[in-house]
Structure formats: C-alpha cells, structure tokens
Amino acid sequence: MLVFCLLFLIPFPVYGKSGVPFNPITDINWGEIEFTIEGVCFCPRIWGIEVGLIISYWEPFLLLDTSSVAFYSATLGTSVGGSSLDELGGKNNSSDAINLVNESTFAQSHAFLLPLMPWICNRSDYGTWWSEYDAMWQNDELAALLSPEASLYANKEMVMGCMADAIAANGGWPLDAMPWCVGSGGSAYPMTGHVDNDNIVQANATAAYRMLYKLNRIGMICDPFPLCGCMYTPVWIKSHYKMNVVRPGIRDVHPIGRATALYDSGLNTPYMGTLGSNDEFLWVVYRPATVLHMLRVSRGILAAVPVIIFLQVGSISGAGELKNDREPVEKVLEQAGILSETMTVPENSHAQEGLDAARQAAEQFHAPAFQEQLRCQMERIRGSESKQEQARASQKKGALTDQESVYLFLSSSMPEVMVNRYLIDIVRTGEQRIVPVLFGLPPGKEGKHLDADYFIRVLQIDPGCRDTPETPCQRLEVPFRINPVLFSRYSITEVPALVYENDQDAWSIHGEAELAYLLEKIGKAANSPALTGISNRLRGGQ
C-alpha cells in the first residue's frame, strides 16, 4: 500500500497537454521590430565632427507563458515535471458547478529571455523564472512582502480609476501614471497568479502582465533607456512594453491592458489546437530601443544587424534540440524541489520600512503635482470620446487623423536626388503620418558593405553643402522605416509607390511622379479630403 501511494508522488509528464515549441521564425511579429532611422547626430570630437545615425526599433526580448497545469510550459511545448498529487495547478472555478460563486482563475507563469539581438543593445537582464518555486506567486499575503503598496490600491476609488486606463489601453495609450492598473485586465496587484476573472484568456493575460511587472520589481529585467541604456524600474513604465499571444494561437501585437475580447475570437477553443492545448498560453514581449551608430567608429554594426538576426534565429533550439536541453532544466528543477522542502519564509525584518514606503507612495500619489498629471491624463481620455468630430474637422483642414497613414515606398537604387526631393516634400506637408519606407539597408558600391553615409546624403537639405567642424550641414528631420514586411503586406514590387491606409481600407499608386500628384490621384480614388488638402498645400494652394 505504501509503495502504491509513493507512486503518486513520482514526477511524471503531464499527459494530455502538449504543443508546438516556440519558433522564432513564425512566432515573432518581424514587422513590429521595424528599424527606423530617426535622424542624424553630430558629435564634436578633437579631430572634428563625428557623424552618426540615431536608430530606433522594437526588440522582442522575453517569452512569458501562463499555464493551468503546474510545470507545463507552452514555450517548450511539454511538461518538465509534476505530480498527480501536485496542488500547484491552475484552475477556473467558474467551470465548477459546486463553486460558481468564486469565479476566479489561477495560472502558473514562466519567463525566458529571448536573445535575438544581444549585440545591438546589451542590457543587464538575467535568467528565467519559474513561478512553481516562487512562494510569493502562490500566496496573495506573501506577495505583500514584495509589494507593500498594494494596500493603498485596495479600495473602490483606486480600482474604479482603472477604467480610465482600460479606455486608454484599448486606444493604444496605457497610462504610465497609473502603474497599479493593467487596463481591461484590472489591477496589477497582488503580483500573483490569482485573478478574479472567469474569462480564461483575459485572466491569463493579466497573469502575464503581473509577471512582467514582478520581473521589473525584482530587477530580473531592465527598462529601455535612450541609446542602449538599462534602467531598473521597481515601478514599471507600461508604455515601454507590448506583447502578442502565440499559443494556443497567434494574434497581433497589442499594448499592455488591451481587452482580450478584441483578439481572442477562436483563440482558446475547448479542444486541442494546431499549436497547443487550450488554457496554455505563450506571450512574446517587446520593448523599444534606441542606438547611436557612429559612422566613423563602427561602420559594420548596422550591416551586421540582419546577419545577427538570422544567425540568432538559427541558434534558437528547434523541437529536437529543446528536448535535449530539457535535461539540465529538469536537474535544476529537481534541486530546487529538494531545497523547497527545507525552505521557510523568514519574518519580514523590513515590515516597518515597507509600511513607511507605502505611506510615502500614498503621499506622492495624493501630491498636487501627481494629481494634476492624473487629471490631465483623464482629460485626454475624455477628449478621445469625440474622435469622430475631431476626424471630420481634421479632414476639412487637410490633415490626417490617427486612423490614417501614408507610406511612401522608396529604394536606395533610385537616384538620390529624387529621394531627396520626396523627403523635402514630406517635410513641406507638415504631416508626421507620411512615412518613407525602405525594404532594407542600402548596400555599398561593391555590394559587400553597408552604405551608411546614404542617409547623411539624402537627408541633407542642400546637396552641395559640405560638413565642417564649425558649420555642419542642415538635415531633414524625417524618420526612415526599414520594413520589408510592409512591402509584402501591400504587394509593392515597383518604387516609388504610395499607399494610403484608412482604418481597414488601403489604396496604392506607383510611378515616378511628384508627391503632390501621387497624393492627388490617390485622394480622389479614396475620396479623402485630407489628401487633397495636403496636395494643394504642396502646390502652393490653400
């Protein structure tokens, strides 16, 4: 009998739960990375001027999976341990007829760093995280040791305030002034896997947000900072992150706090999907980065970027390799399990300091300056309710709205004089939503090296000007996007080409013509007063 009982305690794989391991080729939204040439930088040196390019992009850097079954990882597509008597598994109590009153969800969570672009911006991020061995993830009371300020937000007023963050997040602007909210997901506290929501997709999204916040709090990841910096933020900045779900299905990238109802249709079917079991989720997290590429010091950096990406993609383990890599992970987990039997949570010697910190946070929140900032954010949200009226007014004035975008597709093979002319016209329109797009980085004359000086030349206002230490030439402030995905999305095979996108509709035109002419033609086809007005301004009209 004793032997029979011990058999239930032997770790075993969780049968019935399986999926396709993470695949960086298919699971990353490569169009979201989008290298953008923000402008030109002139740095004075002893020998003269050093010219550089300011480049920004969104970096996929972290994988977060949330699981209803302990030790199952949607990232690996399999279980790495567990027990039939294990009580660490997730739940959705609303599906239990005996416990309909307590409608809540619990999910374990695992974090894995995603080293796709380590040589572009090398930040001090650390290793993985398994919530099964995190006592604070299992217990709401223990979680208060890590976030004592949670008691400040456990009241009706603060929770109701999250409605403003939900409206903003669904519009694409999470409110950084409200770090205790995760938009439509509710509250970021407690930082545990317990979520009072019986919607499984929304609850798992909230659990993923909380794990992201927790990793910020404990210094496991650092927040983006200008020019490849790294800043630890115990109170996270939500707008610096966005994510997309890739298991059990793949959906588009969204900001922190967006309602899952906008993308969960058919995502979590009640049966085994093509990518994984239901109720087991995997999220890819992106953060922004800005790098200064000095042309005279490191000409090879940008040229190596695409090579770096694909070399790293090739180095990510496939399904077979993940199986081999699982053995050392299992050994680590086994050692952690042994240690967990003897580990005890010590008395919090910093309890008073925590209370003082919470009191200080409350004073900062109720400070007039912070309240004024919050009031401004609320007014901005209330102002978004009249978007339709603003859109109509903008159309009459010949200006693009937030729902409209214009992409001008160019190529480095085009004459630089022509590219420069287009860029000057873009500046003359005064429209930031008219964006020049290149398929890739311009090659050198022999096709072997990057022509980094290309952007210095085509952005120059006066082509005949020459930079000197005393008087550098003036450049156009027009961000370039390097995005082959946009070329594919709109089936661009000839350049120059102009694409006008209004919400879900798009129109395109191509041909070597003035920007005013292209805008006029596409404006008539799309019946857009805004494009017609912009075209008239370029031609000197009103």
Side-chain angles (χ1 to χ4, degrees):
M1 183 66 181
L2 178 61
V3 174
F4 179 77
C5 293
L6 290 176
L7 288 176
F8 282 91
L9 299 176
I10 299 176
F12 70 97
V14 181
Y15 297 104
K17 291 290 185 179
S18 62
V20 179
F22 171 74
N23 186 333
I25 301 296
T26 59
D27 296 341
I28 290 178
N29 190 323
W30 294 100
E32 198 66 32
I33 298 175
E34 194 176 57
F35 289 92
T36 302
I37 310 298
E38 297 288 353
V40 179
C41 173
F42 295 90
C43 303
R45 298 289 187 261
I46 298 177
W47 62 84
I49 292 180
E50 192 169 18
V51 183
L53 296 176
I54 302 174
I55 305 167
S56 65
Y57 61 97
W58 279 88
E59 170 194 17
F61 81 105
L62 186 70
L63 301 176
L64 288 177
D65 62 39
T66 54
S67 175
S68 64
V69 176
F71 300 104
Y72 176 82
S73 170
T75 305
L76 304 177
T78 187
S79 170
V80 294
S83 163
S84 60
L85 298 183
D86 199 338
E87 296 184 357
L88 294 176
K91 68 179 185 303
N92 181 24
N93 280 337
S94 64
S95 61
D96 185 354
I98 302 176
N99 196 15
L100 287 177
V101 177
N102 183 17
E103 296 185 345
S104 64
T105 301
F106 176 77
Q108 297 290 355
S109 182
H110 316 115
F112 302 84
L113 287 178
L114 182 60
L116 280 183
M117 304 176 180
W119 292 300
I120 303 178
C121 279
N122 186 17
R123 298 191 180 93
S124 299
D125 296 311
Y126 296 94
T128 62
W129 194 263
W130 284 75
S131 63
E132 284 86 349
Y133 297 104
D134 179 1
M136 293 185 182
W137 186 258
Q138 321 299 327
N139 188 288
D140 293 357
E141 286 75 19
L142 284 178
L145 297 174
L146 187 64
S147 54
E149 74 277 11
S151 60
L152 298 175
Y153 308 120
N155 58 74
K156 183 178 180 180
E157 290 76 13
M158 303 301 279
V159 174
M160 291 297 291
C162 291
M163 295 178 63
D165 186 48
I167 296 173
N170 286 311
W173 317 296
L175 300 181
D176 292 331
M178 305 179 75
W180 66 92
C181 301
V182 286
S184 298
S187 175
Y189 299 104
M191 292 184 192
T192 70
H194 296 102
V195 182
D196 291 329
N197 195 325
D198 64 339
N199 184 309
I200 299 178
V201 180
Q202 184 67 74
N204 277 267
T206 301
Y209 299 151
R210 290 180 177 179
M211 178 55 74
L212 180 60
Y213 192 177
K214 181 185 180 76
L215 295 177
N216 272 275
R217 173 61 59 92
I218 62 180
M220 293 294 288
I221 60 175
C222 61
D223 188 85
F225 197 76
L227 301 182
C228 279
C230 183
M231 178 176 63
Y232 294 103
T233 52
V235 178
W236 67 340
I237 304 176
K238 294 181 295 183
S239 63
H240 286 185
Y241 302 96
K242 50 187 177 181
M243 60 175 60
N244 69 305
V245 60
V246 296
R247 295 292 182 279
I250 299 178
R251 297 296 184 270
D252 290 335
V253 177
H254 62 270
I256 299 296
R258 175 164 290 175
T260 58
L262 298 176
Y263 60 84
D264 68 355
S265 177
L267 176 64
N268 192 41
T269 54
Y271 48 83
M272 178 71 177
T274 57
L275 295 179
S277 300
N278 62 318
D279 299 351
E280 314 302 325
F281 297 86
L282 172 59
W283 316 80
V284 180
V285 186
Y286 304 76
R287 63 184 172 189
T290 303
V291 58
L292 179 60
H293 171 59
M294 304 309 296
L295 301 183
R296 294 187 182 176
V297 176
S298 52
R299 292 181 179 269
I301 293 180
L302 278 181
V305 167
V307 178
I308 290 170
I309 292 176
F310 289 108
L311 283 178
Q312 290 299 303
V313 166
S315 67
I316 298 295
S317 299
E321 292 169 328
L322 282 172
K323 184 176 181 180
N324 296 331
D325 293 341
R326 203 173 298 134
E327 295 181 2
V329 174
E330 291 179 353
K331 292 181 180 179
V332 173
L333 292 176
E334 182 181 354
Q335 294 175 359
I338 297 173
L339 290 175
S340 65
E341 296 178 359
T342 58
M343 289 176 61
T344 58
V345 179
E347 182 179 354
N348 184 11
S349 60
H350 303 286
Q352 186 59 44
E353 295 179 11
L355 292 175
D356 293 341
R359 191 176 297 108
Q360 183 180 1
E363 292 175 354
Q364 292 178 353
F365 174 76
H366 294 289
F370 185 85
Q371 289 295 316
E372 176 64 18
Q373 183 181 5
L374 187 59
R375 183 187 64 80
C376 293
Q377 295 278 21
M378 293 292 291
E379 289 181 355
R380 188 182 74 170
I381 297 305
R382 284 194 293 267
S384 65
E385 297 175 355
S386 59
K387 277 187 176 180
Q388 294 182 350
E389 289 76 7
Q390 294 176 1
R392 285 192 289 268
S394 296
Q395 289 278 0
K396 292 180 180 179
K397 295 179 181 178
L400 297 173
T401 65
D402 292 341
Q403 290 76 37
E404 299 174 286
S405 296
V406 176
Y407 300 108
L408 179 61
F409 293 90
L410 305 171
S411 170
S412 58
S413 62
M414 294 170 53
E416 293 183 5
V417 174
M418 180 185 296
V419 175
N420 179 259
R421 182 68 255 176
Y422 277 125
L423 298 179
I424 291 175
D425 284 345
I426 290 176
V427 173
R428 289 177 56 211
T429 65
E431 278 288 349
Q432 295 183 351
R433 302 190 69 81
I434 301 180
V435 182
V437 184
L438 292 177
F439 184 87
L441 297 166
K445 293 182 179 180
E446 298 179 359
K448 298 180 180 180
H449 303 287
L450 170 71
D451 185 6
D453 289 330
Y454 172 82
F455 299 101
I456 303 299
R457 297 192 298 270
V458 298
L459 289 171
Q460 194 162 298
I461 295 178
D462 180 8
C465 179
R466 294 294 179 268
D467 292 312
T468 65
E470 294 78 16
T471 56
C473 300
Q474 292 183 331
R475 258 75 181 188
L476 300 166
E477 296 183 2
V478 182
F480 261 103
R481 291 191 185 179
I482 313 297
N483 194 332
V485 177
L486 285 177
F487 276 78
S488 176
R489 179 188 302 172
Y490 299 112
S491 302
I492 302 299
T493 58
E494 298 181 47
V495 291
L498 190 75
V499 171
Y500 167 64
E501 185 179 68
N502 189 350
D503 199 8
Q504 300 297 324
D505 300 321
W507 294 261
S508 64
I509 186 174
H510 66 269
E512 295 184 6
E514 292 184 352
L515 181 60
Y517 176 83
L518 297 175
L519 291 170
E520 178 188 8
K521 288 297 182 181
I522 207 169
K524 290 181 179 179
N527 192 23
S528 169
L531 294 184
T532 302
I534 296 171
S535 177
N536 289 336
R537 286 205 306 272
L538 279 177
R539 288 174 169 164
Q542 297 298 324

